[in-house]
Amino acid sequence: MNDAKTDRQLRLYVGLVASGGLACLVWAANSLTAIPPGKLLYLAALTVIIASASGRLIELRVRSDYRAFTSTSGSILVAVATVPLPVAVICTAIGVLIAKVVLRDPLKVSFNVAKNTIAATAAASVAYLAGIRPPADLSFHRASVLHLVAGLILAAAAYAVVDDLLGHTVVAMASRTSFRQSITRNWDVVAIVRLANVAIAVLIVLVVAMQAQFIVAMVPTVLALQFATKNNIGQRSDQEAWRRLAASTGQLNVTDLTAVLHAAVTRVPELFSADGAEIELRDVTPPRLVRGSASRISYEGPAAKAPARTGAVIEEDLRGPANESIGVLRLLFRKSVKLSESEQYKLQTFASSLYTAVQNARAYTELKRINAENAYAAAHDPLTGLANRRELLEQARGLFAARTTDGIFALLLIDLNHFKEVNDTLGHTAGDDVLREVAHRLEAAATPGDLVARLGGDEFAMLLTGLPTPAVAAHRAAVLLDSLERPIEVEGMQLTVQAAGGIALAPGSGGVQELMRRADVAMYQAKRGGQRTATYAHARDTADVGRLMLGGELSRAVAEHEFTVDFQPIVDLGSGEVISAEALARWHHPQHGNLTPAQFLQTVERSGQLPGFVNAVLEQSLTAYRMWLDAGFDLPVAVNVSPRSLLDETFPGAVLAQLARHAVPADRLVLELAETLTLSQLDVVDRALNELRDAGVRLALDDFGTGVSSLSVLSRLPVHQLKIDRGFVRAVETSSEAAAVVRSTVDLARSLHLTVVAEGVESEPQRLALWELGCVAGQGHLFARPMRSGRLLATLQRGSGGRPGVLAGALHPAGSVVRMPRRRTPGQGRSSLPHLPA
Ligand code: C2E
Ligand code: CA
Ligand code: CA
């Protein structure tokens, strides 16, 4: 509401009441009959009683305005009961005037005098109607006590109605509160005061009825009563205020700082009957300010941006036990106001509670943050920000628990191949970059709802959820692994990450542990099969002992010569003649029996036992070479080399020393290198390979065609031979794409003067197809499985068709080249002349 307008209305209203009071007074003066002089003392005493009863019993401040409670009504009742109506009215006017003059506020004085005069007129009139009619000569009327009490109660009610109507209207207007609010405030105190007034009035009237002069004695009695009541009421309202303060500080006990501030700002105006309140926290940058009233928050934000304040302010610092200030609490008033001593004390109390509440909320927030941080750290991998193993297991357990409703879910385990080399050669920073990028790509390729985790090292895992059918898991896994195919740029180099993924669908029993185990088995199946992903199948679950083996066993294996080598002959596809042999390592494990490289190789590569293992393989390979040579078969021996060996600077020296020790010419040793792009870009690898090559050792690129950029590898690695991966061989007669790969590899090899060997030849049609595509050498089950060197020698000596050193019949009987008619893409129609293998 507009302030000026209200003030105008207020003045108009006060003027109206004043005129009413004046009218009552004028009427009373006119109706006044002569007063017997003997009664003047009585009237003087009555007037003094009215004056003293009009002193403030209590003073209540309503916001910026004060409202006094008095016991005027009781004394007026005495007048009403004992003197004629006009006299009562005049006594009231004079009595209240005397009392209010001390207020020295003309507006208030005239209002109060007028209000009480009107109220007295009303009370006296009602009493008159009720039959209480003191005679005009002030000779006291002796009414029955019952009649007196009833009449006075009616008169008191009339007084109360007028007093409330006039008084609360003015308070409501001045304090801009509603009439209802004003009348309901302290109604109980007021009611008690009024009832007491009636009782006292009846008492006094009965006393003066006995002897009029007793009225004089009543003056100190009324004053004493007034004082006692004042104290009582003061205590009562004080207690009430403390109770409310306690309740309010209780409401500050919340853990959220904003909630604390809001509660405080909205409670304070009511507690201290202020128009508004604000809290400024100064120990934060920028200082924070919350301002509001009992009903709403009007501003919240940086203190500097808060709208300017109007009116008066009472400030209280928010201080802690060490007297440090964190800010200030302000009571806002329209007009200047002085707090009573007890109010000041309450304000201090409230401010210190607020300080505690603010600090508690802050401490709680901090605690929550630390907890959240700890929870995050406990559940996440710090390097990639992905969930960690613990979190993955946790979530998987959750999925198992809620499974009945949620359909199918699966675990995909992903293991990066050759990651350790990146770390060892490019350093951990580059390794970390690769891991982060892998994490990033997996997350980008994941379906919402999937959980991507890093289990440690180069092992990642994903929980695939919400699968409509089991088959979708394999499809999703393929998409995820695809996303890793693009080369990763690290320190200016293009690295390709190859990975194998194992998929396991949530099993019916065994829970998380079994799920992990199955995914692990599947992952190793993928690795072994040279596939990108494999899905766990119960039929193929041959409890992969290799995975359970500890590095500790490896030193024993080396020392006890548990590593052995089998040899698989490599033959001329045309003639069936054995032209060389590939050494394939085996582990004769005392408990687990014969283990294949897929079961133990990674453990060996990751352990410190790799040089010992390499030595054992080389030793046995060269020994076998010498044995075959001594028997008349000069078969170069091909040995597989781990990429990790190439990073070992002692490797070339060790190879050459072995050659020298066994007196084997360097060109009789072929080292088969797995095609990893990672390695092709490292100087240390280049140096090692050049050193070996310069010494005469032959180099072959294994599994050719499976890497992403075989050609770029080839341009860097000075190899002599390409080994076509068995994946192409398997499909060579059925897939034109596989045939095209074989064909182009052959063409490439020819132009670079390299030899080509096909791996995994299992059937005659494959052999024929390869041969017709120009591939002249191969190995595989068609010719022989890997076997011990002694058995191979026996096989060689036995020969085929009476020819030693030959394992299969010639493809083209000498003289007549029989060619099956085949449909081919242009340019593939003619087979080329065979090259001599290495
Ligand atoms: P690789 O170099 O591709 O070796 C050929 C693998 O194909 C051998 O498996 C061999 O047994 C298998 N194989 C031969 N003919 C056929 C066939 O007709 N059909 C099929 N399906 N498979 C055939 P193996 O012995 O299990 O060796 C697996 C891999 O382990 C090798 O793949 C090689 O990369 C690695 N490895 C073997 N020995 C050594 C070693 O001494 N050192 C290192 N670093 N790696 C080795
Ligand atoms: Ca090989
Ligand atoms: Ca191979």
Side-chain angles (χ1 to χ4, degrees):
M1 208 191 292
N2 182 312
D3 275 11
K5 194 175 147 207
T6 335
D7 279 351
R8 246 196 339 272
Q9 284 181 345
L10 185 64
R11 241 172 278 131
L12 191 72
Y13 173 75
V14 170
L16 261 168
V17 173
S19 324
L22 200 63
C24 293
L25 209 54
V26 167
W27 168 82
N30 278 336
S31 327
L32 200 62
T33 48
I35 294 164
K39 300 296 174 188
L40 279 176
L41 178 66
Y42 181 83
L43 292 185
L46 189 61
T47 308
V48 171
I49 286 176
I50 293 174
S52 53
S54 299
R56 289 171 208 168
L57 261 186
I58 47 165
E59 188 178 52
L60 290 181
R61 187 174 45 69
V62 177
R63 302 203 172 172
S64 313
D65 295 286
Y66 296 86
R67 161 106 160 98
F69 284 90
T70 66
S71 51
T72 319
S73 65
S75 49
I76 289 172
L77 291 181
V78 174
V80 162
T82 55
V83 298
L85 204 156
V87 180
V89 170
I90 291 168
C91 285
T92 300
I94 297 170
V96 176
L97 182 68
I98 295 169
K100 302 297 174 179
V101 152
V102 272
L103 284 176
R104 276 192 223 103
D105 181 342
L107 192 74
K108 279 192 180 168
V109 172
S110 55
F111 177 78
N112 276 307
V113 171
K115 185 191 79 177
N116 280 300
T117 307
I118 297 171
T121 308
S125 305
V126 168
Y128 184 83
L129 291 175
I132 295 178
R133 296 172 188 173
D137 63 354
L138 295 179
S139 62
F140 297 106
H141 171 80
R142 283 181 183 273
S144 77
V145 175
L146 214 67
H147 189 181
L148 183 71
V149 171
L152 286 190
I153 286 178
L154 284 176
Y159 179 90
V161 168
V162 174
D163 185 57
D164 277 352
L165 222 62
L166 301 181
H168 287 302
T169 307
V170 82
V171 168
M173 281 174 111
S175 62
R176 282 128 177 92
T177 49
S178 76
F179 180 79
R180 233 191 76 177
Q181 247 178 304
S182 168
I183 204 164
T184 50
R185 199 188 302 268
N186 287 16
W187 70 270
D188 52 339
V189 178
V190 174
I192 290 169
V193 168
R194 282 187 172 146
L195 278 175
N197 276 334
V198 175
I200 292 165
V202 169
L203 255 165
I204 294 177
V205 172
L206 290 178
V207 168
V208 296
M210 289 192 297
Q211 177 54 260
Q213 268 69 26
F214 281 177
I215 189 82
V216 181
M218 284 299 122
V219 174
T221 313
V222 167
L223 276 172
L225 262 173
Q226 174 87 358
F227 183 74
T229 321
K230 186 172 174 165
N231 266 347
N232 196 315
I233 294 174
Q235 267 172 17
R236 251 191 66 120
S237 63
D238 215 40
Q239 269 169 12
E240 169 64 14
W242 279 107
R243 199 189 56 72
R244 283 196 295 149
L245 186 74
S248 298
T249 52
Q251 284 172 357
L252 298 182
N253 273 333
V254 282
T255 51
D256 173 53
L257 181 60
T258 304
V260 169
L261 298 177
H262 284 197
V265 163
T266 50
R267 294 296 290 135
V268 157
E270 209 185 318
L271 272 182
F272 297 96
S273 197
D275 294 296
E278 67 180 33
I279 298 167
E280 184 177 340
L281 293 180
R282 291 185 177 143
D283 62 341
V284 288
T285 14
R288 176 179 180 185
L289 189 134
V290 178
R291 181 185 294 167
S293 61
S295 54
R296 66 190 193 100
I297 298 294
S298 57
Y299 175 82
E300 182 161 19
K305 294 209 177 107
R309 280 190 304 266
T310 53
V313 166
I314 291 176
E315 281 199 351
E316 185 63 40
D317 259 357
L318 301 175
R319 281 186 192 283
N323 211 31
E324 73 285 8
S325 166
I326 58 164
V328 60
L329 167 67
R330 297 193 187 97
L331 308 186
L332 308 178
F333 297 95
R334 278 184 308 111
K335 291 191 271 184
S336 122
V337 152
K338 201 171 151 13
L339 292 190
S340 69
E341 206 176 315
S342 94
E343 277 179 319
Q344 276 171 25
Y345 187 46
K346 279 170 211 147
L347 183 58
Q348 281 164 13
T349 309
F350 186 86
S352 87
S353 304
L354 179 56
Y355 169 90
T356 312
V358 166
Q359 299 298 64
N360 279 349
R362 286 173 167 174
Y364 185 80
T365 307
E366 179 65 8
L367 203 70
K368 239 173 36 183
R369 192 186 60 75
I370 292 171
N371 274 347
E373 234 174 56
N374 285 347
Y376 184 88
H380 288 81
D381 163 44
L383 175 68
T384 59
L386 295 180
N388 59 15
R389 177 186 291 270
R390 223 182 88 171
E391 177 69 4
L392 180 96
L393 296 179
E394 193 70 21
Q395 300 256 345
R397 262 191 282 274
L399 287 175
F400 271 109
R403 191 149 68 140
T404 38
T405 50
D406 270 298
I408 315 157
F409 65 96
L411 178 68
L412 167 66
L413 265 190
I414 299 171
D415 190 275
L416 306 185
N417 301 336
H418 310 300
F419 174 74
K420 204 166 186 300
E421 285 96 73
V422 179
N423 246 355
D424 289 354
T425 53
L426 296 181
H428 287 269
T429 324
D432 289 354
D433 285 350
V434 170
L435 290 176
R436 267 191 291 263
E437 178 61 21
V438 167
H440 179 75
R441 288 188 187 180
L442 289 178
E443 267 192 321
T447 309
D450 291 353
L451 178 78
V452 189
R454 179 174 166 230
L455 302 184
D458 56 0
E459 260 196 345
F460 292 82
M462 281 181 83
L463 272 177
L464 309 174
T465 57
L467 300 169
T469 66
V472 174
H475 174 73
R476 287 239 211 113
V479 171
L480 286 160
L481 283 153
D482 266 349
S483 74
L484 302 181
E485 291 278 271
R486 266 178 300 125
I488 295 176
E489 187 168 329
V490 175
E491 294 174 2
M493 283 188 246
Q494 298 286 320
L495 302 187
T496 304
V497 171
Q498 286 168 1
I503 307 155
L505 291 159
S509 62
V512 177
Q513 230 54 56
E514 178 63 9
L515 179 67
M516 286 291 271
R517 190 189 74 79
R518 291 185 174 191
D520 204 55
V521 168
M523 203 235 328
Y524 269 78
Q525 274 161 1
K527 280 215 162 169
R528 195 173 341 162
Q531 298 150 284
R532 253 195 336 221
T533 62
T535 304
Y536 174 85
H538 196 65
R540 283 187 290 151
D541 185 356
T542 54
D544 248 279
V545 282
R547 295 246 60 202
L548 309 172
M549 256 156 349
L550 296 172
E553 284 192 290
L554 294 171
S555 47
R556 185 205 63 215
V558 171
E560 303 289 319
H561 305 287
E562 289 171 18
F563 290 117
T564 62
V565 180
D566 280 357
F567 297 89
Q568 184 173 42
I570 295 170
V571 303
D572 181 313
L573 289 180
S575 65
E577 191 187 343
V578 178
I579 50 177
S580 62
E582 177 176 1
L584 296 161
R586 301 289 178 258
W587 183 353
H588 293 288
H589 194 278
Q591 279 103 49
H592 304 304
N594 263 1
L595 302 179
T596 63
Q599 291 170 305
F600 64 79
L601 206 55
Q602 210 176 43
T603 318
V604 173
E605 283 177 343
R606 289 182 179 199
S607 74
Q609 298 298 324
L610 185 60
F613 168 79
V614 167
N615 231 39
V617 172
L618 272 175
E619 170 79 37
Q620 295 177 50
S621 300
L622 297 180
T623 305
Y625 171 81
R626 281 240 62 105
M627 181 176 79
W628 302 323
L629 186 67
D630 292 346
F633 300 98
D634 183 4
L635 302 180
V637 63
V639 172
N640 293 285
V641 175
S642 287
R644 282 202 41 76
S645 292
L646 298 176
L647 299 171
D648 176 1
E649 295 195 338
T650 66
F651 176 73
V655 172
L656 299 180
Q658 284 262 26
L659 284 169
R661 208 151 59 80
H662 290 92
V664 175
D667 67 355
R668 307 326 262 170
L669 177 65
V670 181
L671 296 181
E672 297 194 0
L673 314 170
E675 182 195 2
T676 59
L677 196 54
T678 316
L679 294 176
S680 69
Q681 304 200 355
L682 302 176
D683 288 346
V684 59
V685 173
D686 288 357
R687 269 202 307 278
L689 292 178
N690 282 325
E691 187 180 342
L692 289 164
R693 199 188 145 99
D694 290 350
V697 175
R698 320 286 282 175
L699 302 177
L701 206 50
D702 213 348
D703 307 334
F704 190 77
T706 54
V708 270
S709 50
S710 306
L711 285 180
S712 78
V713 178
L714 210 51
S715 67
R716 284 186 61 98
L717 286 183
V719 299
H720 304 87
Q721 189 181 76
L722 303 180
K723 297 194 74 170
I724 298 177
D725 190 72
R726 66 171 177 271
F728 303 109
V729 173
R730 194 188 304 130
V732 71
E733 9 120 59
T734 52
S735 146
S736 58
E737 279 156 47
V741 170
V742 174
R743 177 82 209 183
S744 59
T745 306
V746 168
D747 288 346
L748 180 74
R750 187 179 305 130
S751 59
L752 294 173
H753 304 293
L754 312 176
T755 57
V756 175
V757 174
E759 298 178 327
V761 185
E762 292 180 346
S763 67
E764 279 295 342
Q766 284 172 352
R767 174 188 177 193
L768 183 65
L770 287 163
W771 191 74
E772 285 185 331
L773 286 169
C775 178
V776 296
Q779 63 188 100
H781 295 167
L782 174 64
F783 307 108
R785 292 188 179 250
M787 59 186 100
R788 310 308 305 269
S789 58
R791 230 187 101 196
L792 178 57
L793 179 58
T795 306
L796 288 169
Q797 284 167 337
R798 201 177 330 116
S800 164
R803 296 185 296 154
V806 173
L807 279 182
L811 208 52
H812 47 108
S816 65
V817 177
V818 181
R819 194 134 310 151
M820 313 286 284
R822 298 174 77 90
R823 264 196 296 153
R824 304 190 174 284
T825 48
Q828 288 188 324
R830 278 181 309 116
S831 86
S832 55
L833 285 173
H835 277 272
L836 281 179

